[in-house]
Amino acid sequence: MSTTRQQLTAAFTQQLLALWAMVRVRFAKAARRLKGVIIAATNQAGPALASAATQVAQTWRQLRSAALWHEIRLRPLPMKHVRLLVITDDLPQTSLTLAETESFHPDTRPPAEQLLSGIPGRDYRAIYQQAHVRLEKIAKVVPVDAAPDLDAVRVIEHDALCTINEQLNERWAEASRFEEGFRRIDEQDRFVREQQAALENFSNLKIDLGALRNKTRFLDFYVGVVPRENVSRLQGAVTLADHLLFTYLEREQSTHVVIVGPRNEKEGQLASVLSSASFQSLPIPAGLENASPAHKYDELTAERDQLQTERDTLQAEVEAWEQTHRDFLRSARQALLMAAPFVTLDPSIRSAGHLAVVCGWVPARALAELEARLRASLALPFELEHRDPHPAERALVPTVAASHRLLSPFAMLVKQYGIPQYGEVDPTPLFAVTFLLMFGSMFGDLGQGAVIAGLAWIARAKLGLFYRFGVMAGLSSMCFGVLYGSLFGYEEILPALWMSPIHHPILMLQIALGYGVLFITLACGLAISNRLAVKAVAAAVFGHHGLVNLVFYLALVWGAVGLATSGHFGTAPLVLAIGALMALAGYAWSHLQAPLGEKILVVFIETLETVIGYTSNTLSFLRVAAFSLNHAALSLAVLTLAGMMGPAGHLITVILGNVFVIVLEGGIVMIQVMRLQYYEGFSRYFSGDGRAFAPLRLRRRAVGSS
């Protein structure tokens, strides 16, 4: 008995060991598979995570660097008007040097000296235009790189440009043959496709199409399409006109019919009936007589195949021709790119004999480098004069936009409103800060902001520079989400560092009003600063959104705060508000030339508009609080609806609800923030009628770049 028990124990132990060995083997296989999956995922996600980490580190370094804060300036870069006197023979090299520095904005005004009336290089520009047009025509036939690498920048002399122009003329004479061949094939193919499309309408009609196309002496034929719901009504109408209606094809909501009848005086009556029934005639193409639609369709298909063969043969010839002339076309493009600055500079050049003058605008900080580059590149003597812009030239001086990569997307949005005039405040830095603050406060959620930032990062190749705008907007939303304690609408997971808007609605409205007062005060201050910068003192004091307007507004706010806290408007703010309104009315009265009654009416309306305008503009900022409350309420509604579902339905509802909130409300919040920026901000201090800085450039691509 003991021996049997020992045998059973040994057998059981052996089975356990075998089972354990099998489990170990399978576990090892599963572990290896899991490891492989993890390694593969890491290999795929690793570069993306490393790239994202690198971008974050670069952004942080930029935020800490002095270069960013150097770009964040309220006043535009100081500009200098330069007057460059050179020997006429040095003009091509001068234009190349100016283009390479990318700091010279041409001034196209004619010079004050009457002696400088010559326009040098006219023949050069004419030849360039011919060569450029011919190369662009060739580029429509064969691919020609629009911005090839420029290894060595050199002056393209007149004779070299003439040679290139002649060679391009010869190449175009050859390439035009290919263009004509493709045009002929395309026209024939289009004609065949039109015939095939027409035949599809008659594919079910087994009769001679030629007989239908030509009316006989005694019979009328009508072939066309009529809406399906009108067929029965049309059937009765054509019967009254002694005609017969045959249906041969029904397609979706349309019916193809043939109407046949004798030619008589009721033909005009039938035409009106067809028109009222929305009958559309189907013309039978010429050349289809005595042929069935199916047979003719096969013939047309064979003809299209033949045309495709001809196109392939011609394309092979084009590719062979392009391989033969690729180097020349590339060198011709390079030469034209290097000749372009001289041609572009044309309106700014005047000459007298061997002396030429070039005028333009240069940032003050780039003046020393420009002069050094000219001294290094010009072999003949030159003279560079510079001065500050005159007050009368302010509208002509270009404004240098913010160029830092973090500010560039906001500069693009500012440009949609306009370009600040030289001397005006550049709204880009202020716009960036206030936009992110308002968007984040109105759309504060850690998870949804992360989705916005992540999508902008993933789509950075398609969005270009604008992806930074999406990333920063998402980060702002995430920051306010942490303050609000909101994560995909849930407010129980993340503790709020500040408060939840939906639980403190009155405080949110008060903060929004305070923000609106600060925003409008700052906008008025910038308007006053802009006017003082151009010595418009009267406009700065009494003008729209000027100093007196600001005094009235602050007095109105002072009184409103007192009225809300103590129930009294206050004597001091009342005196200030009335005094400011009287000053504005007196200034308007003194500058208005009109009859007495009209003056009274205009002054009264303008004064009333001031009171109503500032009040409504301040209340307009309540939307900042309203949308923050709306965002929280909408998220709460989504979660409430999800709570009524099962586990799977709950998850699906939360996901779809957040997608809905991000797409719909995110877009609405973006529009509302832009509205506040444009209407409440830019319209107060930003004229938007300035000139963008467009320096002379040498269009090139760095060697090795793609």
Side-chain angles (χ1 to χ4, degrees), residues 220-258:
D220 274 337
F221 297 97
Y222 299 91
V223 183
V225 181
V226 67
R228 182 176 297 180
E229 63 272 12
N230 295 345
V231 173
S232 59
R233 179 161 57 91
L234 183 61
Q235 175 78 50
V238 300
T239 302
L240 294 176
D242 299 330
H243 280 62
L244 299 177
L245 183 144
F246 301 94
T247 299
Y248 69 91
L249 176 64
E250 290 188 352
R251 182 179 296 169
E252 296 179 353
Q253 300 301 320
S254 301
T255 301
H256 293 232
V257 298
V258 177

Side-chain angles (χ1 to χ4, degrees), residues 441 575 671:
S441 63
V575 171
I671 294 172

Side-chain angles (χ1 to χ4, degrees), residues 231-312:
V231 173
S232 59
R233 179 161 57 91
L234 183 61
Q235 175 78 50
V238 300
T239 302
L240 294 176
D242 299 330
H243 280 62
L244 299 177
L245 183 144
F246 301 94
T247 299
Y248 69 91
L249 176 64
E250 290 188 352
R251 182 179 296 169
E252 296 179 353
Q253 300 301 320
S254 301
T255 301
H256 293 232
V257 298
V258 177
I259 300 173
V260 184
R263 303 190 63 168
N264 52 33
E265 65 278 359
K266 295 183 179 181
E267 185 176 354
Q269 177 184 353
L270 181 62
S272 63
V273 169
L274 294 177
S275 177
S276 64
S278 301
F279 176 87
Q280 294 182 358
S281 178
L282 293 176
I284 302 174
L288 303 182
E289 294 82 355
N290 302 320
S292 66
H295 178 70
K296 192 62 179 180
Y297 194 91
D298 293 339
E299 292 182 358
L300 294 175
T301 301
E303 188 175 348
R304 287 196 66 188
D305 293 340
Q306 177 62 31
L307 290 174
Q308 184 61 42
T309 302
E310 295 181 13
R311 181 182 285 107
D312 294 340

Side-chain angles (χ1 to χ4, degrees), residues 160-378:
L161 188 62
C162 290
T163 302
I164 293 173
N165 184 37
E166 293 173 357
Q167 292 176 340
L168 285 174
N169 186 33
E170 296 174 359
R171 301 292 84 77
W172 167 239
E174 299 170 0
S176 61
R177 178 177 61 86
F178 303 127
E179 186 183 43
E180 290 296 331
F182 283 121
R183 182 183 295 112
R184 176 188 58 80
I185 293 174
D186 290 340
E187 290 178 354
Q188 292 180 357
D189 185 67
R190 183 170 57 253
F191 176 74
V192 173
R193 283 188 283 108
E194 289 175 354
Q195 286 192 315
Q196 285 183 322
L199 279 173
E200 290 179 358
N201 296 318
F202 303 97
S203 57
N204 293 349
L205 194 58
K206 308 301 183 180
I207 63 175
D208 182 8
L209 297 180
L212 284 180
R213 186 169 178 270
N214 301 312
K215 293 184 178 182
T216 67
R217 180 178 179 183
F218 302 104
L219 289 178
D220 274 337
F221 297 97
Y222 299 91
V223 183
V225 181
V226 67
R228 182 176 297 180
E229 63 272 12
N230 295 345
V231 173
S232 59
R233 179 161 57 91
L234 183 61
Q235 175 78 50
V238 300
T239 302
L240 294 176
D242 299 330
H243 280 62
L244 299 177
L245 183 144
F246 301 94
T247 299
Y248 69 91
L249 176 64
E250 290 188 352
R251 182 179 296 169
E252 296 179 353
Q253 300 301 320
S254 301
T255 301
H256 293 232
V257 298
V258 177
I259 300 173
V260 184
R263 303 190 63 168
N264 52 33
E265 65 278 359
K266 295 183 179 181
E267 185 176 354
Q269 177 184 353
L270 181 62
S272 63
V273 169
L274 294 177
S275 177
S276 64
S278 301
F279 176 87
Q280 294 182 358
S281 178
L282 293 176
I284 302 174
L288 303 182
E289 294 82 355
N290 302 320
S292 66
H295 178 70
K296 192 62 179 180
Y297 194 91
D298 293 339
E299 292 182 358
L300 294 175
T301 301
E303 188 175 348
R304 287 196 66 188
D305 293 340
Q306 177 62 31
L307 290 174
Q308 184 61 42
T309 302
E310 295 181 13
R311 181 182 285 107
D312 294 340
T313 302
L314 186 60
Q315 183 62 40
E317 295 181 15
V318 170
E319 292 175 357
W321 186 88
E322 189 268 338
Q323 290 287 341
T324 303
H325 301 286
R326 175 182 298 175
D327 293 339
F328 165 72
L329 295 176
R330 183 175 181 274
S331 63
R333 176 72 79 183
Q334 289 177 328
L336 292 182
L337 289 178
M338 289 182 284
F342 183 29
V343 178
T344 306
L345 204 59
D346 168 34
S348 304
I349 302 176
R350 294 295 185 273
S351 67
H354 296 288
L355 182 65
V357 174
V358 182
C359 297
W361 305 96
V362 177
R365 66 183 185 184
L367 196 58
E369 180 186 358
L370 175 63
E371 187 171 4
R373 295 285 293 272
L374 289 171
R375 293 191 184 281
S377 61
L378 298 185

Side-chain angles (χ1 to χ4, degrees), residues 439-440 443-454 471-486 494:
F439 182 84
F443 197 79
D445 188 281
L446 179 60
Q448 295 169 359
V451 171
I452 294 175
V471 171
M472 286 185 279
L475 293 176
S476 175
S477 179
M478 293 173 64
C479 292
F480 277 90
V482 174
L483 294 177
Y484 295 161
S486 177
L494 187 68

Side-chain angles (χ1 to χ4, degrees), residues 45 72 134 198 281 291 308 438 497 553 601 628 644 659 674 692:
I72 299 180
R134 287 165 177 168
S281 178
Q308 184 61 42
M438 285 192 284
L497 293 185
Y553 178 63
L601 182 61
S628 64
M644 303 176 184
V659 171
M674 294 298 296

Side-chain angles (χ1 to χ4, degrees), residues 61-127:
R61 286 195 298 269
Q62 291 168 1
L63 289 172
R64 298 178 58 190
S65 67
L68 172 63
W69 304 106
H70 182 71
E71 290 293 338
I72 299 180
R73 57 184 185 275
L74 293 181
R75 291 295 174 189
L77 282 177
M79 302 293 291
K80 295 286 186 179
H81 185 272
V82 299
R83 187 170 183 267
L84 179 60
L85 287 83
V86 298
I87 305 302
T88 304
D89 293 341
D90 252 357
L91 278 175
Q93 181 60 58
T94 301
S95 63
L96 273 181
T97 303
L98 294 177
E100 286 187 290
T101 60
E102 297 187 355
S103 61
F104 182 84
H105 180 104
D107 183 2
T108 58
R109 292 177 297 172
E113 298 88 343
Q114 295 183 357
L115 293 176
L116 297 173
S117 58
I119 303 177
R122 179 175 298 175
D123 185 50
Y124 188 94
R125 288 185 293 276
I127 296 174

